[in-house]
Amino acid sequence: MSRVARRYAKALFKLAEGNLKEARQTLSSLEVLEDLFEIKDSAKILNSPVMPSGLKRDILDYGLKVGQAGANVIQIVDYIVGTRRESIIPKLVTAFRDLIDSSEGIARGQVTSTVPLSQPEKDLLVAELKHLLHKDVILKEMIDPNLLGGMVAQVGHFLIDMSLKTKLEGIGQHVIQNQIEKASH
């Protein structure tokens, strides 16, 4: 995540002065802008270095209006557009969400598996992560058929890799190591 995006997020968070309700309203407004970066046509314009600033401003102004953005959000978006850094807005939203989560003791992560996890499996995984991280954990579930089997969970820098691919690679490394040791004797 970019340092600039984190700085803007910290500034917005500080302006909320510890008021989590106000911070959540700010996040809601920012998420509308984030959604604009997920729509193919608007994302193409907002991420392009050659598109006119006026067109980008119009798209973002629409998002600000729909998101009922407050003065602080409008001011920071105006500054971002003025410095032609519109592409950092999704990173700003992520950084701002992380600040709110951190203040509430929440950690977000992702679990990837070949098939959807059952509810008891998800509950067990969340409980174990909560115990290890000492935070409430919110997991986004992803399906990846290329995983072969098992699952991979990541929350911040914390990674649990229980995939079949990793286990097979570990076995392969063990076999290679044994062959090297036998050859050296």
Side-chain angles (χ1 to χ4, degrees):
M1 187 178 321
S2 89
R3 285 184 180 158
V4 174
R6 279 196 301 262
R7 262 187 295 171
Y8 291 149
K10 285 180 183 178
L12 274 174
F13 193 72
K14 188 173 182 178
L15 289 170
E17 297 179 21
N19 182 340
L20 285 176
K21 182 179 179 185
E22 184 178 328
R24 289 222 167 267
Q25 289 170 337
T26 297
L27 178 61
S28 178
S29 298
L30 290 170
E31 287 174 334
V32 173
L33 299 179
E34 182 180 43
D35 290 345
L36 293 173
F37 284 84
E38 294 175 11
I39 299 169
K40 184 181 175 185
D41 292 336
S42 59
K44 191 182 232 182
I45 293 167
L46 292 169
N47 287 316
S48 171
V50 296
M51 288 293 180
S53 290
L55 181 56
K56 293 178 180 186
R57 185 175 296 279
D58 289 344
I59 292 169
L60 292 170
D61 283 347
Y62 169 78
L64 292 169
K65 183 177 178 184
V66 169
Q68 300 175 350
N72 294 334
V73 175
I74 292 169
Q75 189 175 19
I76 207 150
V77 169
D78 285 344
Y79 183 76
I80 289 170
V81 171
T83 57
R84 301 191 53 82
R85 292 179 168 167
E86 300 86 3
S87 63
I88 70 160
I89 289 175
K91 292 175 183 152
L92 162 67
V93 179
T94 300
F96 192 79
R97 186 180 297 116
D98 289 347
L99 289 169
I100 292 174
D101 287 348
S102 178
S103 71
E104 293 181 325
I106 296 172
R108 291 181 190 268
Q110 178 175 306
V111 61
T112 306
S113 58
T114 54
V115 295
L117 298 176
S118 68
Q119 194 59 48
E121 289 171 324
K122 282 188 252 183
D123 292 344
L124 182 62
L125 180 59
V126 167
E128 189 61 32
L129 288 167
K130 181 178 181 175
H131 174 73
L132 291 169
L133 301 172
H134 306 290
K135 292 183 177 187
D136 288 331
V137 175
I138 298 172
L139 289 177
K140 178 179 173 184
E141 190 172 0
M142 303 293 288
I143 304 300
D144 182 0
N146 297 323
L147 202 55
L148 299 179
M151 61 114 198
V152 177
Q154 182 165 7
V155 179
H157 299 296
F158 190 81
L159 178 72
I160 298 174
D161 189 342
M162 297 174 60
S163 67
L164 183 57
K165 179 181 175 185
T166 301
K167 289 178 183 179
L168 290 173
E169 287 172 354
I171 292 169
Q173 288 293 347
H174 183 72
V175 169
I176 291 170
Q177 187 65 31
N178 284 342
Q179 293 299 324
I180 292 170
E181 287 174 6
K182 285 180 183 178
S184 66
H185 290 320

